[in-house]
Amino acid sequence: MHGRRQSLDVLIYRALLRLLPRRLWKGYEEEMVDFYRQRRAEVGPGWWRRLGFMVTVLIDEARHGPLTWVDNENRPHAGRTRRLRRSRAGIHSVVQDSQFGIRMLRRRPLFAAITILTLGVGIGSATIMYSVVDWVLLRPLPYADPDRVVSVWQVFPGFKEIANLRESWDKGWLSHAQFESWREHQTSFSAVAIHDRSSRQLTGFGHAEVLEVGRASASLMDVLGVSLSKGRWFTLEEEYGDPETTGRPLAQPVVVVSHEFWKERLGGRQDVLGQTLTLDRRPHTIIGVLPPGFRLRILSWGGIDVGRRDVWIPAPKDGGYHWDGIGRLKPDVTAAQAKAELEALLLSDIDPSQRWFNVIARARAEKVDLETPLMLLLAGTGLLLLIACGNVSTLLLGEMQTRRHELAIRCALGASRSRLARHLLTESLILGALGSCVGTIFAMVGTPLLVRFGPAIPHMDQISVDLRVLAAGVALAIASAVVFGVPSAYVVTREGASIHLRARALGFSKKASRLSACVVGAEVALTTVILISSVLLGRSFSEMMAVKPGFVPESLAVIAVEPPPLNEEELDRYLSFLEQTSDRLSQIEGVSEVATSSGVPFLQTNSSYVVTPGDAQEDAPSISALSWYVSADFRRVMGIPLLAGRDLTPAEVSQGAPLTLVSESLARELWPDRSPLGKTLRYTESDVLTVVGVVGDIKHKALGYQTEAAFHLPVFDGNGWRLPSNFVVRTRAGAAARLDGLKEAVWDQDPDALIREATTMESLISRSAYPDRYRTLLTAIFATFATFLAAIGLFGVTARSVAQRNSDMAIRMALGARGSTLIRDVLRGGLRVALAGIATGLLLSLWAGYLIRDFLFDVAPGDPLTYLGVAGGLILTSILASYLPARRAASVDPIETLRSE
Amino acid sequence: VADLNNDEMGQFLPLHPLEFQILLSLMDGVAHAYRIVQEVEARQPSWSRILPTNLYRRIWRLVSLGLIQEVEGEPAADGRSRKYFEILPLGRRVASAEAERLRQLLAEAVSTGVVPDERLGGS
């Protein structure tokens, strides 16, 4: 056509032109399309710019299009004077049209309300979801030339076999030593860096508190190409900070603060550079402020890190093994070349099948763990929007049907067709505009709610209602109102007055009924999909909440204290502080027992070790297990059952005797079919522990997680001290009521103690299920809307078909048909549509269930009970939706009806 | 086009600003739509972008009123024919009547002190 490829927007634009008076678009179509293309070329590349342009064009069309009809009626066939007078009258008539349209809609408040709400919900939810997806998945990373930035991960295929490391087997950390060697010898990158997260205690700002601290090498800003708002980043000397390396006396350590920390905690003071911040009791000099919204996520581990840090400090020399590697490729170097060089540098003497490196575009790496859930959610929203549009179309088609009579009479009384079409167009536009208002309000209110209560996903705190997205949603609403409302208006007016007054049975109405039946069938199918997904998630959630954690969470309080940084001398004093505090807590009224622990299930887990039987042969099993340092009565206070052997005595615990308790699953893995008692457990090269008891398994992270093996570890494990600074308190009743008293008791012992968390075990468990609850709630809301919309659609279609067949029914009744027969007939018609939809929906749900299988806990994606239940529920809903119109049909007075025809 | 007295001329006024600008752009000779818009936007940088429906609504109206007319002109670069527009004598008279109207309006504004009297055109 016209010798060049027509892009979609041009086709849409051409279609829109058809709404203008024929003389105008016949004369100027090509010119207008050309002009459209030239204007579009001016806005530049990028789909978002195009979309923005498209929206302005739509607004232009909506604003001026109807007025061209006014101009058209004033075309010069009459005297000029009359023409001009009419032109003013014409402009007046636009106002009149709007007033008339609003009056017409007010006469049908139910229709108007449902259409507006439907559009509003569809637009609002689509806008919210799209804003999230846009922020999280679509925006380019805020770095200079982001395509050159890559993540460097170490791959350990062996980790696939270890339960707790399975998720991150191909996203392994770099060690500091590897980084040093890489930085020194590499040639593929213009800069390389590492970073990780840590925490520091901040003092000197009221109550002591914990800061999220990023640690990074001096080259980080070169890698990201980010400039600071104020001051500077660390230098290499500051990273090494060692007088022997730099030959300079060790200056005060330095810190770079985030923009948010500077604004909120430091009051945005201009003279912030050079000020001192006390972290872990050491003064640090502030040398820089990061730009607003700076985030750097750690990607090389299983969980989702949102990348917010309060402050940044230099990575320590010899800083261990757990670093996230990142680099900026030189312009001509590919990721594959960089990978090859990296492996040659760091893996020269290692079997390449045991370990290798991945060099992955950062943009890709950032999104990989978020894509599926967000896309599913977006798909859900898309379905909802489709259902909403479908509903609007059936509603409008139905309206045209019922108003044929009115339109025909107006036509017969001399209303010009263009005037009628204009009326209908105005009504559609009013509906679309009001729907957009509702949608806008929905999005404006919903987005902050989502941000407030939503899950911790990256950028969540930055998301706001995106005006471009909202504009697109509004354009979509108006377009769907126009697209579905106007064509039927044209058909109605083209057919003219005579036909409508003559007969009822018209080709148009049949076509329209069939069309709306199809649309409603599709709606029912989509609803089935959403409902089944929602019920699957809901059942999975309740299955999960029914899981026993392995201990007794009721009336258990948790006071987690963050130990300050300690040196050897201070350690004893701190341990005795913990002991005294424990005694003090147990004396509080209503407290029955207190235990201390280095970790708390559902709050803070301890590090894990790969353990083997102490007398290991070649093929001995090895398993990753969590290590706990707990007081002797911890098991009893928590209510964990003792399955074999005995507890440790307080003396054994305090002396660090090489004895241990193991969890049931650990015993089963290491010593299948044998008693573990008296066996030894190896957890480092040199350290072995003798098993004296076996305890029940408990959940450590979340009820839905697999039970992890665990063992008791003495207080000193060879690498460092694990401090039992968490208090687990068994109360006689109502743990929540005791929390304030418990906190006061801790502060009585040490006013500077940093209480990180004071809560009940039950709320910790509930918090751990938060993402699942959120997901379940969200889909339940979706499903409710969808069901509601589909029921309305079905009701509309049935009611309309009943209205059309009013006289048939009247004749049949007059001939002796019983009301129940008529009801059955109508129900059959409605059910046929619904059943077709449900059947299609069930098939689609198998696929949808497969997509969400990862979120399901103990429920099969094809769970037959769910499918049957949802199908049954929907059939009942359909019967209800068809029954109301059917009963009305059966209750008509045949004489009345036939007379009015 | 027959002479119109001032009264009849008044029926065209006031012109829509864009219609007036289109007439001004055609004063120097024929032009196609895109050229007209470029000139208008160069003269009126503060206006928001002129979009197709608005533009052709105005052009169409001017054609219908007999102020401008379509003429054949050079085809576009890719050989397709292109519509050019030419101002008609009536259009010129309406444009100058509109300009005169605006000048009077401005003079009134100055005399009431709404705007300062700075190099008022024509004085």
Side-chain angles (χ1 to χ4, degrees), chain A residues 699-721:
Chain A
K699 299 283 179 184
H700 295 272
K701 283 185 189 140
L703 292 176
Y705 274 47
Q706 283 189 322
T707 309
E708 289 176 64
F711 66 108
H712 173 94
L713 196 67
V715 65
F716 189 75
D717 73 349
N719 278 330
W721 295 89

Side-chain angles (χ1 to χ4, degrees), chain A residues 175-493:
Chain A
S175 74
H176 199 273
Q178 282 175 322
F179 169 65
E180 292 273 301
S181 155
W182 179 37
R183 171 157 69 179
E184 195 167 331
H185 301 292
Q186 64 85 18
T187 57
S188 307
F189 296 86
S190 55
V192 297
I194 47 171
H195 68 104
D196 79 344
R197 68 198 282 202
S198 178
S199 61
R200 291 285 182 275
Q201 282 192 21
L202 174 71
T203 43
F205 277 87
H207 275 301
E209 62 180 307
V210 183
L211 293 189
E212 277 275 336
V213 174
R215 301 193 296 174
S217 51
S219 43
L220 184 67
M221 290 299 130
D222 299 333
V223 171
L224 301 179
V226 168
S227 341
L228 272 64
S229 299
K230 268 178 178 301
R232 59 174 182 84
W233 189 250
F234 337 114
T235 60
L236 201 59
E237 286 78 35
E238 280 159 344
E239 182 182 338
Y240 282 134
D242 185 345
E244 285 179 26
T245 325
T246 57
R248 285 196 293 151
L250 180 64
Q252 186 162 305
V254 292
V255 60
V256 171
V257 299
S258 75
H259 200 270
E260 293 75 14
F261 185 84
W262 172 56
K263 279 279 177 206
E264 288 157 23
R265 304 303 313 280
L266 305 176
R269 286 168 50 178
Q270 291 303 315
D271 59 348
V272 64
L273 299 181
Q275 302 276 336
T276 297
L277 217 53
T278 308
L279 300 175
D280 276 4
R281 299 183 182 176
R282 281 187 73 188
H284 287 61
T285 309
I286 299 174
I287 57 166
V289 179
L290 283 162
F294 178 82
R295 303 275 191 280
L296 187 61
R297 300 175 53 202
I298 291 183
L299 303 174
S300 55
W301 63 299
I304 291 177
D305 167 31
V306 299
R308 280 193 83 152
R309 310 282 182 264
D310 297 312
V311 300
W312 287 82
I313 56 174
K317 196 169 157 56
D318 301 329
Y321 299 93
H322 299 159
W323 295 91
D324 198 42
I326 183 168
R328 174 176 290 273
L329 289 174
K330 283 184 180 165
D332 312 323
V333 181
T334 65
Q337 287 164 343
K339 172 178 150 76
E341 186 197 59
L342 192 62
E343 287 173 353
L345 275 176
L346 300 180
L347 299 178
S348 50
D349 53 344
I350 295 170
D351 178 0
S353 68
Q354 292 301 305
R355 200 159 65 138
W356 64 86
F357 281 92
N358 269 349
V359 176
I360 292 184
R362 182 82 185 171
R364 180 86 216 111
E366 288 243 1
K367 286 157 192 174
V368 80
D369 48 349
L370 298 167
E371 226 158 29
T372 318
L374 278 180
M375 281 308 176
L376 282 178
L377 215 50
L378 191 63
T381 321
L383 289 185
L384 200 64
L385 192 60
L386 271 182
I387 293 180
C389 285
N391 246 22
V392 170
S393 78
T394 54
L395 284 166
L396 285 168
L397 276 174
E399 274 307 294
M400 290 310 150
Q401 291 272 304
T402 47
R403 288 176 64 191
R404 266 181 313 149
H405 203 70
E406 171 217 322
L407 293 171
I409 290 175
R410 283 169 63 192
C411 224
L413 292 179
S416 72
R417 282 191 220 166
S418 63
R419 179 89 194 238
L420 277 188
R422 218 167 61 220
H423 273 160
L424 296 174
L425 179 76
T426 316
E427 273 179 42
S428 295
L429 283 175
I430 291 171
L431 281 177
L434 291 177
S436 314
C437 290
V438 173
T440 308
I441 294 169
F442 191 92
M444 293 286 182
V445 174
T447 308
L449 284 180
L450 184 82
V451 171
R452 175 87 177 63
F453 298 108
I457 60 173
H459 306 292
M460 199 64 176
D461 54 324
Q462 294 169 314
I463 291 166
S464 56
V465 176
D466 189 323
L467 290 182
R468 293 169 307 163
V469 176
L470 190 63
V474 167
L476 195 67
I478 294 180
S480 61
V482 169
V483 164
F484 292 117
V486 172
S488 33
Y490 276 89
V491 175
V492 167
T493 51

Side-chain angles (χ1 to χ4, degrees), chain B residues 4-54:
Chain B
L4 296 171
N5 60 35
N6 282 345
D7 225 21
E8 281 175 292
M9 188 59 81
Q11 291 159 356
F12 291 101
L13 305 182
L15 274 181
H16 185 275
L18 179 54
E19 290 171 1
F20 184 50
Q21 290 291 341
I22 293 172
L23 291 181
L24 290 187
S25 302
L26 293 173
M27 284 293 185
D28 298 337
V30 299
H32 55 78
Y34 191 57
R35 173 103 199 95
I36 294 174
V37 167
Q38 281 175 325
E39 278 191 23
V40 172
E41 285 181 351
R43 278 199 299 268
Q44 301 290 340
S46 64
W47 283 14
S48 61
R49 186 186 291 275
I50 298 167
L51 291 165
T53 310
N54 185 14

Side-chain angles (χ1 to χ4, degrees), chain A residues 108-126:
Chain A
R108 295 164 293 149
L110 189 65
F111 159 75
I114 289 174
T115 312
I116 290 166
L117 264 182
T118 305
L119 276 174
V121 169
I123 297 165
S125 52

